Amino acid sequence: MKLNVKSKNAILDIICLLYVLLFVYAAVSKLLDFENFEVQLGKSPLLSAFASWVSWLVPAVELIIVLLLTIPKFKSAGLLAAFSLMTMFTAYIFIVLHYSSFVPCSCGGILEKMSWNAHLVFNILFMLLAALAIVIKNSFANTNKSLKKHFLSIKQITISIVGSVAVVALLFLSSEDIMHNENPFIRRYPQHPIVFSNAIDLKLNSYYFTGYRNNRIYLGNYTNPLHIITMDTNLGNQQVVKISFDAKNIPFKMATVVLRGSNFYLIDGSVPTIFRGSTSDWKITKELKGIPYFTLAVPLDSTTIAFRSNNAKKLANVLGVFTSNPTAKTTYNRDLLQQQIDGIFDTDGTLLFSEELNKMVYLYYYRNEFIVANKNGILDYRGHTIDTIKHAKIKVSYLKNGTQAEMSSPPFVVNAHAVICQKLLFVHSKVKGKYENDKLWQKSFMIDVYDLNKNAYLLSFPIYKTGDNELKSFLVTATHLYAIIGNDLVVHELKTILTKELKTN
């Protein structure tokens, strides 16, 4: 049925009115709750890097389109702009659902209660309404050739779709590159990458993670180094293991136990000594003799140890590799740790090893840098955490005629704890990023995740506190995250977005 001019005008006016109502409500909602809108854009997998200016641009464009639609002279331009903007919104949702690394929460406003798929249908419906309005508007053009009018509508709609999709795709690709490689300190929070599973009270605050093997976690105890607690993945079926070893003649000060494969290692850098045994019988069978004094050490294999000592100039920290096979040999790489202030406190950090990558990693406590090196201590690359603290914020005083260094004020900690699971580096950061509110930081510990293969930031998530206790250490396996918070041992199950990254080589 062919519509008359009056009917066409009525349909056109209704569509324009719907867009006016939609964009006025959307723009005003964003401006009234601007901080939250900016935060949501900051968490977006497509627009994170551009959140600061997109958060202002979108409501401004919506209000400009409303103005164009209400002025008869500019109604055609307003309809094309409305169609283009709605196409961008639709393309954004489609990319989020099918191509982004995660699906964020809703941006609020009128669509707050909708699912992302409902979101998509809603936008497509408004796109079709705008396209119909463009066709009707062009039918009023001063020409008698119907074919020319239809061609004009098709041309305008096609150019609008291609241009709008291209803009969103370009923003997506640019934002992804910036977020992964040149992050401006904007964290990405996917929905529920971990889910709380269980918690138990350890009764004591002297426990630490020894390792994980055969679907069981192992906890050591600083006050009783020869006793190990082991339990299943959900903290059940607890057992106590006693290491068989006579240590009466060794003046241990701070002995710890580390699991590596089927072996365990009893380590104390103040002696210095490292003993090795098998988890099949928990008996010490081998001493790795000849290792120098060290402050940190991690086993790389049954005969090789990566360590940190104070053997550099003015007792500065230095990384080295010790091997006991066939004879004891120590190799230092004095260029790995880079001094900024004193070489001791400013280079303090965490020493880790990835069995899957066969790489050692050293993460600084007080600056946004980590070092990745091979088993021989040869540098692969220097990576950076996403915060902006490039220089350690510490004050050091020298006592006893300059022979003893002490911290003269509390240091600004950047990276408090870290663990490696396969190719992923998990960092407990203590620095708040852009678009983050204080409430989240007051009730949780922030974990940032990095891909060591790609030297790229991936995502972040909180571990929620248990009371006022501090996070002492944590452990990540292929399926779970374990954390010791005060006396509590807490386990979270890893969800798809993390397990997928762990499985991807």
Side-chain angles (χ1 to χ4, degrees):
M1 171 175 107
K2 192 170 182 180
L3 297 174
N4 56 36
V5 174
K6 186 176 180 180
S7 298
K8 288 181 179 180
N9 274 321
I11 294 173
L12 185 62
D13 289 342
I14 290 172
I15 293 173
C16 289
L17 179 61
L18 286 173
Y19 263 99
V20 167
L21 293 173
L22 175 65
F23 284 163
V24 166
Y25 178 83
V28 171
S29 296
K30 293 180 180 75
L31 294 174
L32 289 177
D33 196 11
F34 181 77
E35 184 179 356
N36 182 57
F37 175 58
E38 189 178 42
V39 167
Q40 294 299 333
L41 282 181
K43 297 176 182 178
S44 163
L46 270 70
L47 303 173
S48 304
F50 312 117
S52 58
W53 60 267
V54 170
S55 57
W56 284 106
L57 183 63
V58 171
V61 169
E62 289 173 336
L63 292 176
I64 290 172
I65 291 174
V66 167
L67 187 62
L68 293 174
L69 290 174
T70 55
I71 301 175
K73 183 179 178 180
F74 301 112
K75 187 169 289 186
S76 293
L79 286 170
L80 279 171
F83 179 78
S84 298
L85 187 61
M86 193 56 67
T87 303
M88 289 183 186
F89 292 159
T90 305
Y92 169 83
I93 293 172
F94 184 83
I95 292 174
V96 164
L97 290 174
H98 295 90
Y99 297 103
S100 71
S101 55
F102 66 92
V103 178
C105 298
S106 169
C107 287
I110 195 170
L111 304 176
E112 183 178 6
K113 303 302 180 182
M114 288 187 182
S115 67
W116 280 94
N117 286 312
H119 234 156
L120 187 63
V121 173
F122 180 90
N123 284 5
I124 291 173
L125 175 61
F126 265 81
M127 279 182 62
L128 293 174
L129 289 175
L132 175 61
I134 291 170
V135 171
I136 292 174
K137 187 64 178 173
N138 286 335
S139 70
F140 296 147
N142 294 324
T143 175
N144 293 323
K145 295 182 179 180
S146 177
L147 185 62
K148 189 174 182 179
K149 296 177 183 179
H150 289 309
F151 178 75
L152 176 63
S153 299
I154 293 172
K155 180 181 177 181
Q156 290 176 337
I157 291 171
T158 302
I159 292 174
S160 179
I161 291 175
V162 173
S164 300
V165 172
V167 168
V168 175
L170 183 62
L171 285 174
F172 168 59
L173 294 174
S174 300
S175 182
E176 285 292 284
D177 181 66
I178 291 171
M179 288 298 295
H180 288 309
N181 302 303
E182 305 172 31
N183 192 290
F185 203 10
I186 301 173
R187 287 190 170 91
R188 289 186 153 179
Y189 295 99
Q191 296 186 61
H192 310 302
I194 63 171
V195 175
F196 175 82
S197 179
N198 195 15
I200 59 172
D201 186 353
L202 294 173
K203 308 297 183 184
L204 300 172
N205 62 2
S206 54
Y207 285 103
Y208 63 93
F209 290 108
T210 292
Y212 175 83
R213 184 170 182 268
N214 294 336
N215 296 319
R216 296 186 69 84
I217 63 168
Y218 292 79
L219 299 178
N221 191 322
Y222 290 115
T223 59
N224 195 347
L226 299 182
H227 282 75
I228 305 295
I229 295 178
T230 175
M231 58 194 75
D232 62 27
T233 55
N234 203 38
L235 312 185
N237 189 22
Q238 293 188 27
Q239 300 174 15
V240 177
V241 175
K242 187 177 186 304
I243 295 174
S244 178
F245 180 57
D246 183 6
K248 291 180 180 178
N249 297 324
I250 302 173
F252 286 118
K253 293 183 179 179
M254 183 59 83
T256 58
V257 178
V258 177
L259 261 65
R260 180 75 71 224
S262 60
N263 292 321
F264 72 91
Y265 300 79
L266 185 64
I267 298 173
D268 191 337
S270 63
V271 175
T273 188
I274 294 180
F275 294 92
R276 191 187 73 217
S278 173
T279 56
S280 62
D281 56 12
W282 293 95
K283 292 181 179 180
I284 296 289
T285 57
K286 174 74 175 178
E287 179 182 0
L288 306 184
K289 296 181 179 180
I291 190 169
Y293 286 90
F294 57 86
T295 52
L296 292 175
V298 293
L300 307 186
D301 57 41
S302 60
T303 60
T304 308
I305 307 293
F307 67 92
R308 185 192 71 187
S309 72
N310 300 115
N311 290 336
K313 187 177 180 181
K314 295 183 178 179
L315 298 178
N317 288 320
V318 63
L319 294 180
V321 176
F322 168 80
T323 181
S324 62
N325 188 26
T327 57
K329 179 183 177 183
T330 301
T331 305
Y332 293 97
N333 187 334
R334 302 184 186 277
D335 296 325
L336 283 178
L337 299 183
Q338 296 183 329
Q339 178 177 334
Q340 291 183 336
I341 300 171
D342 66 327
I344 302 174
F345 297 111
D346 65 338
T347 58
D348 199 4
T350 306
L351 182 59
L352 307 165
F353 179 67
S354 170
E355 294 182 76
E356 287 74 17
L357 300 181
N358 214 19
K359 305 286 185 185
M360 67 174 78
V361 175
Y362 189 87
L363 176 71
Y364 290 111
Y365 284 144
Y366 308 120
R367 55 176 126 153
N368 66 345
E369 185 178 332
F370 59 89
I371 301 160
V372 179
N374 65 19
K375 286 180 66 174
N376 297 317
I378 306 301
L379 179 68
D380 275 7
Y381 67 86
R382 297 182 187 276
H384 292 87
T385 53
I386 59 173
D387 59 88
T388 57
I389 313 300
K390 295 182 179 180
H391 197 276
K393 296 182 179 181
I394 59 174
K395 290 184 180 180
V396 180
S397 297
Y398 293 91
L399 311 175
K400 297 182 180 179
N401 297 322
T403 60
Q404 181 177 326
E406 296 285 349
M407 286 275 200
S408 58
S409 64
F412 185 88
V413 179
V414 176
N415 305 305
H417 307 91
V419 297
I420 293 177
C421 182
Q422 299 177 26
K423 66 167 186 170
L424 300 186
L425 173 65
F426 294 78
V427 178
H428 170 208
S429 173
K430 303 198 80 171
V431 186
K432 189 168 68 172
K434 290 184 179 180
Y435 317 121
E436 295 176 3
N437 58 59
D438 293 333
K439 288 183 179 179
L440 178 64
W441 281 80
Q442 290 169 0
K443 64 182 181 180
S444 65
F445 310 103
M446 194 56 59
I447 307 298
D448 298 326
V449 185
Y450 302 85
D451 187 322
L452 292 173
N453 273 341
K454 299 177 181 177
N455 186 18
Y457 165 73
L458 295 179
L459 56 92
S460 301
F461 59 86
I463 298 176
Y464 288 97
K465 294 182 177 181
T466 59
D468 297 325
N469 297 313
E470 287 298 311
L471 176 65
K472 295 173 58 181
S473 61
F474 68 107
L475 171 73
V476 180
T477 72
T479 56
H480 293 83
L481 180 148
Y482 302 88
I484 297 177
I485 305 173
N487 291 353
D488 296 324
L489 174 57
V490 181
V491 56
H492 294 77
E493 183 183 354
L494 304 188
K495 305 311 289 185
T496 304
I497 189 167
L498 280 173
T499 56
K500 181 176 67 175
E501 290 291 346
L502 288 169
K503 292 177 182 176
T504 304
N505 294 320

